[in-house]
Amino acid sequence: VTLFDYKMKCIDIVAEHDPSIVFDAENIANVAKKEAIEGKFLPDKESYLKVYLSAIGVIKRRILTKVSVGTSHGNTQYDDADGVDGRKAVAKKKRQQQHTDGSIKELDTETEQEVMDIIDDLREVYDEADSFLRKSYVEWTEGRAMLWKDRAEAEAYVLSPLMRSLGDEEDDADGNRKEKGPGADEVEKCFEKLVRVHHPSHPDSWLAYVRYVASKKSFNA
C-alpha cells in the first residue's frame, strides 16, 4: 500500500511543479484500481480500502491546493518554511502584511472549472470504491462504513461548500443556498447511506451525522 501511495503522491507533485503537465484524477484512480487492485498485489480487504482512501486523499489535497494557490496573490506557498533566528520576526511581519493587503482573490475561470471537474472525478472514485467493496466484500460493513464516513465528511466540509462558493448553487424551497444539479443533496445522501450501512445503525455513524446537522444550523443561524 505504501508504494502505491508514494506513486500517487509523486504523480500529484510532478503535475503541481510542471505547468506543462495537466493533473488528471483518473491517473491517480488507475494506480489504485488497475495497478493495485486488478493486479492483485494487495494481501487483504483492508489494504484494498487503504489504497482507495490514499487515492481519494491525494485528489482531495489537489483540490485544496488549487484553491489555495489560485486565491493567493503572488507566488507565496502555503507550506513555505518560516524564517530562522532574526529573520523569524521579519517573515512573520511580511505574512501579516500580506493578509492585511487582501491576499485572497477570486479564482480565475479556468482554475474554477478545473476544481469543479476534479470534484466530479473525486465523486466518481468514491463510487468506484463503494462498488468494489459491495461486489467483493458484501459482508464487510465496517469497510463500507469507513468509506462512507470519509465521503460524507468530505462532501459536508470540503466539496459542497466549495461548489457553493464557486457559484454553482441555487435557492431551495426554504430560501437557502444549495448546490445545483445532481450534487445538490449529496451531503444528506452520503450521511443517509452511512447510517444505513450497519443494521442497526452504528452510534458513531449517527454521531457524525448529528455533528454535521449541528454545524449546518450554527452556520445558517
Side-chain angles (χ1 to χ4, degrees), residues 16 42 54 169:
E16 183 177 345
L42 303 177
S54 292
E169 58 180 14

Side-chain angles (χ1 to χ4, degrees), residues 99-138:
H99 288 302
T100 57
D101 288 344
S103 60
I104 302 300
K105 64 178 182 179
E106 291 186 2
L107 290 176
D108 59 66
T109 303
E110 182 179 349
T111 303
E112 182 177 309
Q113 185 59 53
E114 184 177 354
V115 168
M116 290 192 289
D117 289 342
I118 299 175
I119 288 176
D120 289 338
D121 293 337
L122 178 57
R123 286 169 171 167
E124 290 180 4
V125 176
Y126 273 119
D127 288 337
E128 288 179 6
D130 182 59
S131 178
F132 170 78
L133 292 179
R134 284 189 290 105
K135 291 179 181 179
S136 303
Y137 303 103
V138 65

Side-chain angles (χ1 to χ4, degrees), residues 33-65:
K33 181 180 178 181
K34 295 185 177 180
E35 297 184 24
I37 294 175
E38 293 181 4
K40 301 184 184 302
F41 285 109
L42 303 177
D44 50 41
K45 58 190 179 186
E46 288 81 7
S47 298
Y48 287 120
L49 177 58
K50 283 180 181 178
V51 78
Y52 259 124
L53 290 176
S54 292
I56 286 166
V58 170
I59 298 172
K60 281 193 290 188
R61 180 185 183 279
R62 183 61 176 179
I63 292 170
L64 295 174
T65 298

